[in-house]
DNA sequence: AGTATGATTGCCT
DNA sequence: GGCAATCATACTG
């Protein structure tokens, strides 16, 4: 899960579209919340590839979510990409999404980058960070298993994270002046 | 502000 | 048949 922290700031590109990762969650093979917890299946096979392999899965029958394998081959540790900063190919993201936000939340990232089964098992294209970022650690989102494990990492200075801190509500802030 | 619900597919018991 | 690493919408107060 240290890989999840290390990935913050790295630019993820798919077919020339993407941006710096600002929010990610770690899923280890021995974690009840991980798709690899119960061993290999047809769906999670890509998780058993070498580090840098993409694992793309269908979420709730609707969304495509992207993971980057971060453990040794055969181990099936991965990092869920939850949010990016829209940086490269923003116009194409807009066409695909049709609304804001473009790349906040794993389902939205998948749509903006046109993730799908054609990407599953491919090698992720990653570029190193261009600047230093703060990273904070919180609990993960949307889980029913192992909810307490603080394996979500994010850049608290980025406006493109799905939630600034663990349990703060989403949405715009109140205007500062009366 | 919070809470609820439908969409839709693959894997689980 | 039930549920899930989600999102957008509709409703309530």
């Amino acid at each position: 899960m240290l890989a999840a922290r290390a990935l913050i700031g790295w630019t993820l590109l798919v077919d020339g579209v993407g941006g710096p990762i600002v929010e990610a969650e770690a899923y280890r093979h021995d974690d009840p919340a991980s798709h690899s917890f119960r061993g290999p299946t047809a769906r999670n096979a890509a998780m058993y590839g070498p580090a840098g392999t993409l694992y793309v899965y269908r979420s709730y029958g609707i969304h495509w979510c992207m993971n980057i394998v971060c453990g040794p081959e055969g181990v099936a540790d991965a990092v869920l990409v939850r949010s990016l900063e829209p940086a490269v190919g923003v116009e194409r993201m807009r066409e695909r999404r049709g609304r804001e936000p473009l790349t906040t939340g794993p389902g939205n990232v998948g749509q903006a980058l046109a993730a799908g089964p054609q990407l599953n098992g491919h090698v992720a294209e990653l570029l190193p960070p261009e600047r230093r970022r703060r990273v904070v650690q919180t609990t993960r989102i949307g889980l029913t298993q192992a909810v307490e494990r603080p394996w979500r990492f994010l850049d608290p200075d980025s406006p493109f994270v799905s939630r600034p801190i663990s349990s703060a509500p989403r949405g715009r802030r109140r205007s500062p002046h009366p």
Side-chain angles (χ1 to χ4, degrees):
Chain A
M1 66 231 183
L2 275 54
R5 161 168 266 155
L7 269 174
I8 299 297
W10 284 72
T11 289
L12 173 63
L13 290 177
V14 173
D15 201 22
V17 176
I21 298 169
V22 293
E23 183 181 356
E25 287 178 352
Y27 288 90
R28 292 168 44 115
H29 68 283
D30 57 357
D31 168 6
S34 172
H35 288 175
S36 55
F37 181 63
R38 292 166 201 270
T41 66
R43 177 172 71 155
N44 68 19
M47 293 184 81
Y48 292 84
T53 302
L54 287 173
Y55 164 49
V56 181
Y57 73 96
R58 188 84 121 150
S59 176
Y60 290 88
I62 297 175
H63 308 286
W64 292 99
C65 297
M66 302 178 61
N67 294 251
I68 300 168
V69 175
C70 62
E73 185 165 9
V75 171
D77 293 344
V79 172
L80 171 68
V81 178
R82 285 195 58 91
S83 299
L84 308 175
E85 291 186 354
V88 186
V90 176
E91 205 42 53
R92 256 199 287 179
M93 296 185 198
R94 270 198 250 276
E95 291 166 11
R96 292 163 178 168
R97 285 278 301 133
R99 58 176 73 238
E100 303 279 333
L102 296 179
T103 52
T104 295
N108 296 337
V109 168
Q111 188 179 11
L113 271 56
Q118 82 287 349
L119 223 53
N120 191 37
H122 284 229
V123 177
E125 184 179 357
L126 288 166
L127 306 177
E130 294 179 354
R131 60 180 176 83
R132 206 161 159 60
R133 292 171 184 269
R134 294 201 294 153
V135 178
V136 300
Q137 184 172 4
T138 75
T139 52
R140 295 176 292 185
I141 292 177
L143 304 186
T144 56
Q145 302 285 320
V147 174
E148 75 289 350
R149 303 193 187 191
W151 289 349
R152 171 176 176 250
F153 299 88
L154 60 94
D155 175 356
D157 304 311
S158 174
F160 296 98
V161 299
S162 59
R163 282 193 242 168
I165 50 176
S166 183
S167 57
R170 206 191 281 237
R172 61 189 77 241
R173 299 197 181 281
R174 188 185 285 279
S175 149
H177 59 77

